[in-house]
Amino acid sequence: MTAQTTLTGGDIAEVTAEKKTSAFKSIFIVASGNFLEMFDFMVFGYYATYISKAFFPTGSEFASLLLTLMTFGAGFLMRPVGALVLGAYVDHHGRRKGLLLVLGLMALGTLAIAITPTYEQIGLAAPLIILAGRLVQGLSAGVEVGGVSVYLNEIAPPHRKGFFTSWQSASQQAAVVFAALIGLIVSTSLSPETMQAWGWRIPFIIGCVMIPFLFIIRRHVEETEAFLNRKEHPKIGQIMRIIGNNWGIVLQGALMAVMTTVFFYMITAYTPTFGSKVLNLGAGDALFVTACVGLTNFILLPVMGALSDKVGRRPLLITATVLGAVLAYPLMSWLVADPSFGKLLAVELLLAAIYATYNGAFIVYLTEIIPGHVRTVGFSLAYSMATAIFGGFTPAISTALIGVTGDKAIPGAWCAAAALISLLALLIGSRINRHAGDQA
């Protein structure tokens, strides 16, 4: 006879508790590097004004700021490259190895920006080093979001994938809050002259200090069962062919990602510059609003991810894109007509709620439509293309549009256009994919 083990109610509860603890531990470990990636990107955007004077002096404050924001956006041009090269590495060698490699590249970019002397000290080499640092950061970021999202999707229970995957974006929001609070403390503690001289470097140095601890944390990442159970792991050439055969899905994903990337960089990276330079509000006020935006998103994203598990992805995606297309420009027009701290906070929080509703359903949706054996590179490529073309340049495009049109509310029109693009991609892409499935 074979002995059988009978589990009591207490035993089952204990096992369930252990699984929950292990799941949240995995979420924390894998999202830690994602935190650093977004922290570095945010502080570059927050201190664009200081960085422009330190590395891009032109005699025109507007031109210097635009050059800095273009450099901020240039890092996103490397994301598709990182998505293809590093994404293929992750899909072939494993999630764990890939996430460690990405963190190392990210650290190099952060260090370069933190310690580079100014233009006045070393001349043209200064902006070139800053640009190189941004490009390295962009290369690593090209697969960071995809790698983390795919990892969380693969460790999640079938009925909780939306909730688990949403923590990728939630970890970014924690970085937004942390970066904004540090910026608020630094900018209120130091004089403008000290801030310009060296104070703006403090957040980047803090990012460098975090790197060793994040390496230690991320080394405990365990490989996913989905990857280990896969009998074949395609090489780069095979991955490229598979991606080519599924270019329609990747294109749909890229167009659907337009809204989430544009809204994200509008309400986070661009808010300090928009609040202080366009609306003439205090820099501290704009940073405080940004921190509130990040905190709101941190709370709402897991909620919306869990809601998408209950009601489905499409209802949330359609609702958010329609609201974004209809409300973005009127909200901005109301704000710029009579700028104030309260109105900036209200508008940003409303846009944040729309963003969180969309992103909470979109990230998991994208992991689900990409074929499993090329999921990292497919997700990363789609997301990176949208970020490179639309989202990453949102601060620069908004600044340029205001300069050309004279309409301070025009960034709202940019958000509305992004929402429309993503709505059409969802509706048309879903119909095409469904038709292809019927023909198969």
Side-chain angles (χ1 to χ4, degrees), residues 350-438:
L350 282 171
L351 294 177
I354 294 172
Y355 159 80
T357 301
Y358 186 81
N359 189 272
F362 167 69
I363 296 298
V364 65
Y365 178 88
L366 187 55
T367 62
E368 290 170 340
I369 65 174
I370 301 292
H373 48 304
V374 292
R375 185 170 288 148
T376 302
V377 66
F379 182 109
S380 300
L381 183 59
Y383 198 90
S384 296
M385 287 193 298
T387 308
I389 300 171
F390 296 93
F393 284 100
T394 286
I397 290 172
S398 298
T399 300
L401 287 174
I402 292 172
V404 170
T405 65
D407 182 1
K408 295 180 180 180
I410 200 69
W414 176 242
C415 288
L420 283 173
I421 290 172
S422 293
L423 176 60
L424 290 174
L426 171 64
L427 298 178
I428 297 174
S430 297
R431 184 173 300 176
I432 292 173
N433 292 337
R434 189 161 54 245
H435 177 72
D438 293 338

Side-chain angles (χ1 to χ4, degrees), residues 60-77:
S60 167
E61 185 174 344
F62 174 80
S64 295
L65 178 59
L66 188 58
L67 279 173
T68 304
L69 294 177
M70 290 297 288
T71 302
F72 176 80
F76 295 94
L77 294 178

Side-chain angles (χ1 to χ4, degrees), residues 267 271 281 285 288-290 292-293 296 327 331-332 334-335 340-354:
I267 63 179
T271 293
L281 300 175
D285 289 343
F288 181 79
V289 169
T290 306
C292 291
V293 166
T296 300
L327 295 179
L331 285 173
M332 281 291 189
W334 176 71
L335 170 61
S340 68
F341 168 78
K343 291 176 75 171
L344 177 63
L345 179 62
V347 169
E348 292 289 326
L349 291 184
L350 282 171
L351 294 177
I354 294 172

Side-chain angles (χ1 to χ4, degrees), residues 208-334:
C208 291
V209 172
M210 288 191 293
I211 289 171
F213 298 99
L214 294 177
F215 263 112
I216 294 173
I217 292 173
R218 187 165 271 194
R219 285 187 65 185
H220 290 87
V221 169
E222 296 181 359
E223 191 55 76
T224 68
E225 289 186 16
F227 181 85
L228 293 174
N229 293 336
R230 199 165 291 129
K231 295 181 179 180
E232 294 185 5
H233 303 295
K235 297 181 179 179
I236 292 181
Q238 295 172 296
I239 290 173
M240 298 307 167
R241 284 194 296 272
I242 295 170
I243 291 296
N245 293 335
N246 291 275
W247 66 268
I249 295 176
V250 174
L251 179 60
Q252 180 198 356
L255 293 175
M256 286 185 62
V258 170
M259 176 174 171
T260 199
T261 60
V262 168
F263 268 67
F264 177 77
Y265 288 102
M266 179 66 70
I267 63 179
T268 55
Y270 187 56
T271 293
T273 300
F274 182 72
S276 60
K277 292 299 179 181
V278 179
L279 303 181
N280 296 316
L281 300 175
D285 289 343
L287 283 170
F288 181 79
V289 169
T290 306
C292 291
V293 166
L295 181 60
T296 300
N297 286 334
F298 181 79
I299 295 171
L300 286 181
L301 280 164
V303 172
M304 293 304 172
L307 183 60
S308 76
D309 288 329
K310 299 293 184 182
V311 304
R313 322 299 183 202
R314 284 174 60 85
L316 296 186
L317 295 173
I318 292 174
T319 299
T321 48
V322 171
L323 289 175
V326 172
L327 295 179
Y329 185 73
L331 285 173
M332 281 291 189
S333 298
W334 176 71

Side-chain angles (χ1 to χ4, degrees), residues 82-105:
L84 285 171
V85 177
L86 298 179
Y89 178 91
V90 174
D91 279 331
H92 182 69
H93 293 283
R95 316 311 188 200
R96 182 180 184 277
K97 289 183 179 180
L99 290 173
L100 286 171
L101 174 62
V102 168
L103 183 59
L105 291 173

